[in-house]
Amino acid sequence: MIQTISDSNSSWFQVSEFILMGFPGIQSWQHWLALPLALLYVLALIANTLIVTVIYQEASLHQPMYYFLGILAIVDMGLATTIMPKTLAILWFNAKTISLNECFAQMYAIHCFIGMESGIFVCMAIDRYIAICRPLRYPSIVTESFVIRATLLMALRNCVGSVSVPVLAAQRNYCSRNQIDHFLCSNLGVISLSCDDRKINSINQLVLAWTVMGSDLGLIMISYALILWSVLKLNSAEAASKALSTCTSHLILIFFFYSIIIVMAITHSAKMTVPVIPVALNVLHSVIPPALNPMVYALKNKELKQGLYKVLKLDVKGD
C-alpha cells in the first residue's frame, strides 16, 4: 500500500492507493443504503435512455430544444456512471481501495460532467430566450449547426478547464494518511490528505467554481430575467402562460442542480458537526437529478410525453 521514494536528504512515504471509507460515522450500517442507491441509478439509466430514444425516433422532436435535452440525458448518465458503480462496489463488496491514477481520473470525469451539465443548462436558457424574446429570428439563429457548435464549445471548455484539477492534485505528496471519508475522489477530500502546501489547489478550485459555475448561473439568471420581462409585456394572458410553460421544467431542473451545489459548497467550507451531510449530498447529486430530470420533462412537456407513449406503444386517450 505504501511505497518508499528516496530523496537526496530524506525518505518520503508515498501512498500508492486511497481507501474510500464511505459515509463518515455510519459505516457500520451504510450497506443498507446500497439497494435504494442502486434503484435510483438503474432508474436514471433507463429513464435517460428512453429520453434519448424518443428524441431520436420521433421526427416531431427533432428540434434544438429537444436536442439539448437529449445531450443533457447523455451527460446525466455519464455523471451517474462515473460515481455510482464504485459507490455500489464499496457498499456491496467492501471494495474500498482505489489507485491514485483511478482516483485522479474519476476526479477529472466528475468535474467534466458537472461542468458540462451546467453548460447545457446555459444553452437551454439561451434557446428559450431567443424562442420567446426573438421568435422571428429563432429559426435562423438556433439551428442544428448552432446546437452542434454550442455543445462542442461546452465540451471543449470543460474538458480543457478541468485538467488543472487532477494535475495539481497529482503534484501533492501523500505520505501518511490515505483514508478518504467519501465514496468518490472529490478534489478537496483528496488534497486534504497531502503532506505539503495545498493552497494552489484550493485557489484553483475557487477560480474554476466562479469562472465556470458562477458565469453559467449568471447567464441563466439574465436569460430568464429577460424572458420574464418580455412575457410580462404581453397583452394576452394565454400567450404569457404558454410562453412560461415551456420554461417551467427548465427552471425546476436548474433550481435543483444549482441549489444542491451551493449547499455542498457551504457545507464543505463550514466546519460541519455532522460530516455525513456533505458526503450524502455529493452522492445524491450524482444520481437524483439524472433520475428526476427525464420525469420532470415527461410530465411537463406534452410533445415528449406523446413521443414516449408511441415508443412504449401505449394507447393513452385524452392527451
Side-chain angles (χ1 to χ4, degrees), residues 230-289:
S230 179
V231 167
L232 290 175
K233 293 192 294 183
L234 294 174
N235 294 324
S236 169
E238 183 180 350
S241 176
K242 185 176 180 180
L244 287 176
S245 67
T246 63
C247 302
T248 306
S249 51
H250 293 188
L251 289 171
I252 293 171
L253 303 186
I254 289 166
F255 175 78
F256 193 74
F257 178 80
Y258 284 103
S259 60
I260 292 184
I261 287 182
I262 291 169
V263 171
M264 283 195 298
I266 293 171
T267 54
H268 272 297
S269 59
K271 299 296 182 183
M272 291 296 298
T273 56
V274 186
V276 71
I277 293 176
V279 176
L281 285 173
N282 233 306
V283 173
L284 293 175
H285 185 256
S286 69
V287 68
I288 289 183

